[in-house]
Amino acid sequence: MILYNSATRSKDEIKPHTEGKINMYTCGPTVYHFAHIGNLRTYIMEDVLEKFLRYSGYDVKRVMNITDVGHLSSDADTGEDKMLKGAKREHKTVMEIAKFYTDAFFEDCNKLNIKKPDVIEPATNCIPEFIKMVQGLLDKGYAYIAGGNVYFDTSKLKNYYVFNNFDAEDLAVGVRDSVSEDENKRNKTDFVLWFTKSKFEDQELKWDSPWGVGYPGWHIECSAISIKHNGEYLDIHCGGIDNAFPHHTNEIAQSEAYLGHPWCGHWFHVLHLNTSNGKMSKSKGEFLTVSLLEEKGYDPLAYRMFCLQSHYRKAQEFSYEALDNTSAVFNKLIARIAALKNDPSEEINEDAVKKYKDKFKEVLGNDLNTSLAITCLYDVLKADTNDRTKLFLIEDFDRVLSLDLINEAKKYNEKAQSQPESDEDKEIQELVEKRTQARKEKNWAEADRIRDQLKDMGIILEDTPQGVKWHR
Ligand code: AMP
Ligand code: ZN
């Protein structure tokens, strides 16, 4: 598979460290609030990547952390812990907040058919691993203690800005006007590995360490958790684009300094979902969650389809109008699949299967082109082959797309059967009878015209020994 790699800024072949096996790491949610649908865009695209790798035959091990400590509200290591902020907002303990929003996150993932990673590791479970890594960095001379905190010394690295398509001046921590500088830092880009001192003395969760009672920095969590579960070599690291700097840049700095060799081969970054007012946020404007979409009557899977329609390396703009369009497209797609007949007496056409599967693999294998993968579904629906083969292919593609296509089509047919006869049903019945009459009168042109008219209405006719049957 070829996938864009932020570290090389090119589309690179995925080359796992161990043949056939892929170690994958995903920055998990900071569980101080519900995930917004922007966060979930990132997790949907990562899910498609994981599933496509599995589909292509790789043995994937995916690890995700849960950030329940250490993610501050400012990148400059000076803000308040987001978890503590959340706990204060809701008059609960940090652990209560973490449990509630972790569960809510996985409920949302479930609704969006995002598979659970193989390993889910809350940061608060791994304090000994963080301490070991920080100590290792101090021992190797990559870290220093100042004002009670342990800092990573970025001046020790030859190349700190790995993703250097960013403007260093713009991004350097402490340089931005709104951010006050931490005076303990030797270099502006240095970052905290372990806090014992911050402006916020009421940090709820603290642990003993060789440097005093305190808590870990956010960046060290992901490095240590990845090394704990994926070992010293990571094949793919995922996250939203905002994490590239400083979070991922710092992860690379400390992991490679600690391990003494290159750490992760491939960096997969998903561009943001924005609203017309700009970046989606948990504090600004309408807080867009999966539950809110459901309340407004949207199927969460229509939102998944909305994400798949656009490439992960392009920012996507959310609007209800756009989601309405996708919902309509999704419903029509389901209706077309529902009209396919699963007849076990039909033989699966192996040539067609190969042809359409090859195309599906080609488009996803070329930098995960999900919108072309959806086009592959339509190509199958239009294909000159029997329904059984089409259903086989749709089910196969859905192992990656995860739109529940077969199930949704089944539900669609069940609903159509259980509904009382509507005006439209009566109209269809009348047309069917007219066509039967035309056929009796050997008026084939009229019979064909009516069949086409019904087809345009999404109706398929079946001539059976018991008479003509129709379905949507
Ligand atoms: P957080 O819960 O803030 O740690 O973020 C969880 C994930 O969502 C991270 O991978 C972020 O990079 C990603 N993310 C944050 N905002 C957006 C957005 N507007 N669109 C897409 N992904 C985002
Ligand atoms: Zn991370």
Side-chain angles (χ1 to χ4, degrees), residues 25-28 65 67 218-219 221-223 237-238 243 247-248 251:
Y25 184 84
T26 299
C27 288
N65 73 308
T67 306
W218 173 38
H219 317 301
E221 295 175 8
C222 285
S223 291
H237 193 307
C238 314
N243 280 349
H247 183 49
H248 293 160
E251 277 189 50

Side-chain angles (χ1 to χ4, degrees), residues 308-377:
L308 299 185
Q309 283 172 325
S310 136
H311 195 257
Y312 77 92
R313 267 199 307 126
K314 286 204 184 104
Q316 191 175 12
E317 191 174 308
F318 176 82
S319 69
Y320 285 111
E321 202 188 348
L323 189 58
D324 284 340
N325 286 338
T326 305
S327 295
V329 167
F330 185 59
N331 290 339
K332 272 198 196 141
L333 175 66
I334 298 298
R336 286 181 69 180
I337 297 169
L340 300 173
K341 280 272 160 251
N342 194 1
D343 178 353
S345 69
E346 278 179 342
E347 248 181 62
I348 291 189
N349 179 338
E350 296 299 338
D351 290 342
V353 167
K354 183 172 175 339
K355 176 176 154 196
Y356 289 98
K357 267 182 85 124
D358 283 353
K359 184 73 189 160
F360 184 71
K361 281 194 213 158
E362 182 193 316
V363 299
L364 286 174
N366 183 7
D367 202 21
L368 207 69
N369 197 328
T370 47
S371 67
L372 283 182
I374 298 222
T375 306
C376 288
L377 276 177

Side-chain angles (χ1 to χ4, degrees), residues 225-452:
I225 292 174
S226 176
I227 293 170
K228 176 177 177 185
H229 294 289
N230 276 323
E232 289 197 7
Y233 294 93
L234 184 62
D235 297 308
I236 305 176
H237 193 307
C238 314
I241 191 67
D242 57 314
N243 280 349
F245 189 92
H247 183 49
H248 293 160
T249 304
N250 291 348
E251 277 189 50
I252 295 171
Q254 66 204 2
S255 300
E256 299 198 346
Y258 176 73
L259 296 168
H261 59 68
W263 170 52
C264 175
H266 226 107
W267 288 82
F268 174 81
H269 286 124
V270 179
L271 270 285
H272 274 182
L273 181 78
N274 301 316
T275 59
S276 55
N277 317 330
K279 200 181 157 204
M280 192 160 293
S281 135
K282 296 185 187 186
S283 48
K284 270 193 300 182
E286 189 179 36
F287 185 6
L288 290 160
T289 58
V290 171
S291 314
L292 181 72
L293 294 187
E294 283 183 303
E295 276 165 34
K296 289 183 185 276
Y298 294 102
D299 181 341
L301 293 179
Y303 177 65
R304 185 176 171 107
M305 171 123 168
F306 173 79
C307 292
L308 299 185
Q309 283 172 325
S310 136
H311 195 257
Y312 77 92
R313 267 199 307 126
K314 286 204 184 104
Q316 191 175 12
E317 191 174 308
F318 176 82
S319 69
Y320 285 111
E321 202 188 348
L323 189 58
D324 284 340
N325 286 338
T326 305
S327 295
V329 167
F330 185 59
N331 290 339
K332 272 198 196 141
L333 175 66
I334 298 298
R336 286 181 69 180
I337 297 169
L340 300 173
K341 280 272 160 251
N342 194 1
D343 178 353
S345 69
E346 278 179 342
E347 248 181 62
I348 291 189
N349 179 338
E350 296 299 338
D351 290 342
V353 167
K354 183 172 175 339
K355 176 176 154 196
Y356 289 98
K357 267 182 85 124
D358 283 353
K359 184 73 189 160
F360 184 71
K361 281 194 213 158
E362 182 193 316
V363 299
L364 286 174
N366 183 7
D367 202 21
L368 207 69
N369 197 328
T370 47
S371 67
L372 283 182
I374 298 222
T375 306
C376 288
L377 276 177
Y378 286 98
D379 290 343
V380 166
L381 282 167
K382 282 186 284 189
D384 184 17
T385 186
N386 62 42
D387 282 5
R388 185 139 181 262
T389 306
K390 291 181 186 183
L391 284 167
F392 176 86
L393 279 163
I394 290 164
E395 193 165 10
D396 182 72
F397 294 175
D398 210 32
R399 282 164 52 205
V400 179
L401 304 175
S402 293
L403 293 168
D404 264 0
L405 297 170
I406 300 293
N407 234 344
E408 293 277 323
K410 219 193 231 167
K411 279 197 258 169
Y412 181 95
N413 280 334
E414 280 164 10
K415 201 169 151 201
Q417 270 165 19
S418 65
Q419 265 171 356
E421 202 178 50
S422 65
D423 286 349
E424 195 196 35
D425 288 358
K426 278 186 205 140
E427 187 191 339
I428 293 162
Q429 198 51 44
E430 274 169 26
L431 283 166
V432 169
E433 279 158 22
K434 263 196 195 164
R435 176 175 167 270
T436 309
Q437 189 56 35
R439 279 164 63 103
K440 269 192 198 145
E441 290 163 7
K442 300 204 171 7
N443 186 351
W444 307 120
E446 175 65 359
D448 286 351
R449 191 195 61 75
I450 297 173
R451 181 187 273 270
D452 288 347

